[in-house]
Amino acid sequence: MARYAPVPLCALVLGVLAVTLLLPEERTFAAPEGEPAKAAKGTSAKNTASVNDTGAAPESDAADENSAPVYVWSASRSQSRIILRGAVPSEEDRQTALGMVKAHFPDLKVEERVKVVDAGFPREQWLAAVSFSLQQLANMKRGKVRLSDANLAVGGQAANAEDYAQIKKALAGQLPAGLTLTNDDVRPPVADPFVFTADLGPNSLSLAGSVPSENARKHVRDLSRQLFERPGLDDRLEVASGAPKNWDEAVSAALRALSRLESGKVALSGIAVSIEGVAPDQGTAVAVSYQLRRDLPKMFSTSESIKWKKAMGPRETLLKELATNVIPRIKTTAEDSGGWRSDVLSPPNPLANEQ
């Protein structure tokens, strides 16, 4: 019987293995017959955050096939018009919502892009959410409110500082029944230039102008109470956008410099800082100017106008005491007894060292 050499058999086995390894690569992009190929995750037309014409947001890949679509209604405003998009539960509700819009925005052109789509939640709840959303939008210069089922997203820029405070208070307070705030991106109005002032008087420190946030306002108040021994703090600060970079460092440096004066004022307008006032002596005046220039961030410029008190000798000290304390008491006593005429003053006697 003939014997076969093992070499041809090995070659055959190697050839079969090579073909087997190549076949899966060819089948990777081939779908079974009758079944469409699946696109890569994230490329499906259904996997998008945009809202379709009916107001129902498309389902995500992770959503169950039998889950209800998201019910969406939105209103966005610019300086000249307001645009309504999405879905409304009924024609009656469409008219009601449109009436709310015209009441809140009588001077704006209204553009409707809504459709009537039956909703599964109470209409009173939906209308209350729409009304609350429009109230916030009315306090904005430009912005958008979006209801996704019972979830509210708000974004835009407040018309002024008062409106900004009202929006923040409303969003932080009690919302209409069933409504949940999912996003708050409301920004304060822009201040240009961004101005801050601190005025140091005999009995109080007055703060005015703009701060970039409520946290910044609290920091300024706390620092002021640490630095100044004044019984009164007059806070007239308002939250605004537009603060320059390193604003908080510049304000802290300005307040520390002002605290070394007996009276004065610091002002920040953009990146320009000015300080004026009265120091107890010349050395302090020079030190305050140096300190402010040293502590300010590099991008800020500064100007100083600081005076100081001259050292008083015995004569100046005596005259100040007479003018401040003695003469007012004598005048009050004389007027009470009827022996003083304020319109006729006799010349004062010369001091002993002048005779």
Side-chain angles (χ1 to χ4, degrees), residues 1 16 153 175 209 221 275 299 325:
M1 181 180 295
V16 172
L175 302 178
R221 287 175 59 91
I275 183 170
M299 62 186 297
N325 298 316

Side-chain angles (χ1 to χ4, degrees), residues 191-196 242-247 250-251 267-273 299-301:
D192 186 19
F194 200 89
V195 176
F196 170 88
K245 185 179 180 180
N246 298 326
W247 178 90
V251 168
L268 286 80
S269 180
I271 59 173
V273 181
M299 62 186 297
F300 286 81
S301 62

Side-chain angles (χ1 to χ4, degrees), residues 12-330:
L12 179 61
V13 172
L14 291 175
V16 172
L17 288 175
V19 173
T20 304
L21 291 174
L22 292 174
L23 283 177
E25 185 176 0
E26 296 296 329
R27 293 175 182 174
T28 301
F29 300 100
E33 185 177 355
E35 180 179 340
K38 293 183 179 180
K41 185 177 180 181
T43 61
S44 172
K46 292 184 179 181
N47 186 24
T48 174
S50 62
V51 180
N52 60 28
D53 291 338
T54 65
E59 300 178 39
S60 65
D61 290 345
D64 184 78
E65 292 182 358
N66 297 323
S67 63
V70 178
Y71 198 84
V72 175
W73 176 91
S74 68
S76 56
R77 71 167 297 183
S78 62
Q79 294 182 347
S80 60
R81 65 176 179 170
I82 181 168
I83 302 176
L84 309 177
R85 294 184 175 90
V88 293
S90 66
E91 179 61 28
E92 181 182 0
D93 295 332
R94 186 188 76 82
Q95 294 292 340
T96 302
L98 183 60
M100 294 179 185
V101 172
K102 292 183 177 179
H104 283 292
F105 309 94
D107 300 328
L108 297 185
K109 178 182 178 181
V110 180
E111 182 179 335
E112 272 194 298
R113 301 177 185 176
V114 299
K115 289 188 178 182
V116 176
V117 178
D118 187 27
F121 41 83
R123 63 184 300 268
E124 294 81 7
Q125 178 180 330
W126 185 82
L127 290 174
V130 169
S131 176
F132 178 83
S133 303
L134 291 174
Q135 290 174 17
Q136 313 318 312
L137 190 61
N139 288 329
M140 299 185 207
K141 185 176 182 180
R142 60 179 64 87
K144 180 178 181 179
V145 291
R146 186 177 189 268
L147 289 171
S148 177
D149 287 340
N151 300 317
L152 172 63
V154 185
Q157 187 177 83
N160 51 56
E162 182 179 356
D163 289 339
Y164 176 75
Q166 290 182 2
I167 295 174
K168 289 299 184 180
K169 182 179 179 180
L171 295 179
Q174 185 174 1
L175 302 178
L179 187 63
T180 301
L181 180 65
T182 57
N183 187 41
D184 174 9
D185 190 25
V186 180
R187 301 178 300 278
V190 176
D192 186 19
F194 200 89
V195 176
F196 170 88
T197 62
D199 196 341
L200 179 63
N203 300 313
S204 66
L205 175 70
S206 298
L207 305 175
S210 301
V211 289
S213 66
E214 284 296 337
N215 287 336
R217 180 177 183 173
K218 182 179 183 301
H219 172 73
V220 169
R221 287 175 59 91
D222 292 345
L223 181 61
S224 298
R225 294 193 182 281
Q226 294 174 13
L227 295 175
F228 298 92
E229 297 179 357
R230 296 291 192 273
L233 179 61
D234 182 16
D235 179 4
R236 290 173 287 166
L237 298 170
E238 295 181 343
V239 178
S241 301
K245 185 179 180 180
N246 298 326
W247 178 90
D248 52 343
E249 296 180 25
V251 168
S252 297
L255 289 175
R256 289 190 176 92
L258 182 63
S259 68
R260 301 185 63 180
L261 302 181
E262 293 190 352
S263 62
K265 179 180 180 180
V266 291
L268 286 80
S269 180
I271 59 173
V273 181
S274 63
I275 183 170
E276 61 183 40
V278 179
D281 52 64
Q282 183 178 4
T284 302
V286 174
V288 167
S289 297
Y290 170 78
Q291 173 188 335
L292 182 59
R293 295 187 181 190
R294 180 198 64 194
D295 295 344
L296 280 175
K298 292 182 179 180
M299 62 186 297
F300 286 81
S301 62
T302 178
S303 62
E304 308 91 18
S305 178
I306 302 175
K307 301 177 181 179
W308 59 89
K309 294 181 177 180
K310 296 181 180 180
M312 293 187 297
R315 182 175 182 275
E316 288 81 4
T317 303
L318 178 59
L319 290 175
K320 182 179 180 181
E321 177 67 20
L322 289 173
T324 304
N325 298 316
V326 179
I327 293 179
R329 292 178 183 177
I330 295 174

